[in-house]
Amino acid sequence: MKTTRIIQLLKETESIGINNIVNIKGWVRTKRGNNTVLFINLNDGSIVHGIQVVVDVANFDEQLLKQITTGACLSVEGKLVESMGKGQSVEIQALKIEILGLADAERYPLQKKGHSMEFLRSIAHLRPRTNYFSCVLRIRHAMAFAIHNFFNDKGFVYLHTPIITGSDCEGAGEMFNVTTMDLGNVPKLGNGEVDYSQDFFGKRTHLTVSGQLNGELGAMALGNIYTFGPTFRAENSNTPRHLAEFWMIEPEMAFYELEDNMVLAEEFIKYCVKYALDHNFDDIQFLNDLFDKELIDRLKSILDVQFIRLPYTEAINILQQSGHKFDVPVYWGLDLQAEHERFLVEEHFKKPVIMIDYPKEIKAFYMKQNEDGKTVRAMDILFPKIGEIIGGSQREESLEKLLNVVHERNMNEQELWWYLDTRRFGTAPHSGFGLGFERLLLFVTGMSNIRDVIPFPRTPQNAEF
Ligand code: 4AD
Ligand code: MG
């Protein structure tokens, strides 16, 4: 018999037909009842709600019923009927039950009681079976889909940039080395330095921190491209907003100036949030009711506001005149900390802020220099509760100016020959940005720790599962 998914039973009840016989397969969330009747809540992951299976004890083998415990996997054939019980519209009257997989009640860690997020992280292989995490994973899927839709509809080309690279796009040196050398016996040059010419690629390589440099090459040929892939940062930040492995979306557009870049980024975030409200409302409602009573309002309110455009220098003035006591004192040139960003977004403007024109010293080498000689055409989008969700800029298209920065920063010009070629041959104004996928998910799900919006988080001292 064909298996029906629970989402269909609940959402397409009419077309399936009350009193028809159906087969469902899923995992037991709860089992309760007495000597005559049992109620089993079965969940198959298709929707946050499970379906109630009603078991007339007299019709089944006692031994079989005993073996049905929380976490066990069942195949149930039964009649779809309207439910008398509260909280559900339909239920299944069981006719046949087959146990596909037992779950030892002594050892299965997800018994009914509420669990802390910390505990659930320690069983990341099983947490998708909780309601909260299955909601997050369905939303995560929908957001990935929305992102491809958004750019595809606009005619952007999805460009696959390499994961293994020899360059450090952000220049922060936060990279994981990639090597096949025997670390106990590394070949050395006469001067004691490692001889990377003997390594797999014949040069020093890392996991990418960003696909942008390759993305720019794509934009200089295809016009508009985007990347969507894993990126890696070996920064030792144990915060609720940093991962060592995270997913980033990086669009790059030829002929876009900073203003066009901001318009696109704002439209993009709003599209994703609206997509989640339109397609994942059950999941969002569940998370709203369980964790974050303001989630739905917060998501809706974002759709109606225009993000504030704020030059960095003005932000410094606001912070200095606020009278607020910050842990890190504010001065022009400071790389703003979470406390400053949160003050601006959550207390001062109470809206998302796009901060632009940052001091060049605190931003990456590729950003377009402003006429003032001090600032660059950077833009960071700051969000309530999240802080920085997007980082981007207009790019420096002048070879001469770019080379100056490369030299000022003691970067290796030879290593960057291919990137610099874009400025040698048919250079053009262009811009782009990077959206941290998990930061977007923090916003959309209302979760407070980034470890809880990715299936298997990688953070300092943690690469389990
Ligand atoms: O600001 P970032 O470092 O910018 C870039 O990498 C540029 N190359 C992007 C571009 O212009 N194409 O990172 C972009 C975004 C941040 O705003 C943040 O949302 C996210 O990536 N991000 C992280 N997310 C999780 N864990 C980390 N360790 C992150 N580092 C950055
Ligand atoms: Mg940034």
Side-chain angles (χ1 to χ4, degrees), residues 252-292:
E252 192 70 36
M253 296 74 64
F255 321 121
Y256 269 50
E257 312 237 335
L258 189 64
E259 178 58 29
D260 310 306
N261 206 21
M262 288 193 272
V263 170
L264 182 74
E266 181 169 344
E267 185 190 344
F268 175 44
I269 296 189
K270 287 178 173 171
Y271 178 93
C272 293
V273 171
K274 180 158 186 333
Y275 191 97
L277 285 167
D278 289 347
H279 293 82
N280 294 78
F281 199 75
D282 285 340
D283 293 327
I284 291 174
Q285 179 88 61
F286 179 85
L287 295 172
N288 183 88
D289 296 348
L290 195 68
F291 293 109
D292 179 355

Side-chain angles (χ1 to χ4, degrees), residues 281-328:
F281 199 75
D282 285 340
D283 293 327
I284 291 174
Q285 179 88 61
F286 179 85
L287 295 172
N288 183 88
D289 296 348
L290 195 68
F291 293 109
D292 179 355
K293 301 275 183 283
E294 288 158 16
L295 176 61
I296 294 175
D297 288 345
R298 201 180 315 118
L299 295 181
K300 286 187 174 158
S301 74
I302 284 292
L303 301 179
D304 303 329
V305 301
Q306 233 232 320
F307 298 0
I308 299 286
R309 268 80 164 153
L310 179 71
Y312 171 91
T313 302
E314 246 176 69
I316 294 295
N317 288 338
I318 291 172
L319 292 169
Q320 283 177 333
Q321 284 159 25
S322 68
H324 191 95
K325 181 123 183 45
F326 295 105
D327 292 340
V328 177

Side-chain angles (χ1 to χ4, degrees), residues 360-377:
K360 61 179 190 212
E361 287 79 11
I362 57 173
K363 287 294 181 188
F365 78 100
Y366 50 70
M367 294 192 181
K368 184 171 174 68
Q369 297 157 40
N370 278 319
E371 301 280 305
D372 63 11
K374 292 194 301 197
T375 59
V376 287
R377 310 232 74 197

Side-chain angles (χ1 to χ4, degrees), residues 170 210 212 233 235 243 248 250 388-391 395 434 436:
E170 295 306 299
S210 157
Q212 179 194 321
R233 305 253 167 124
E235 51 187 333
L243 290 165
M248 184 151 59
E250 295 184 275
E388 180 188 335
I389 193 166
I390 277 183
R395 318 307 189 189

Side-chain angles (χ1 to χ4, degrees), residues 77 102 128 144 188 421 430 433:
E77 216 171 282
L102 296 170
K188 296 268 174 71
D421 263 5
H430 62 291
F433 60 83

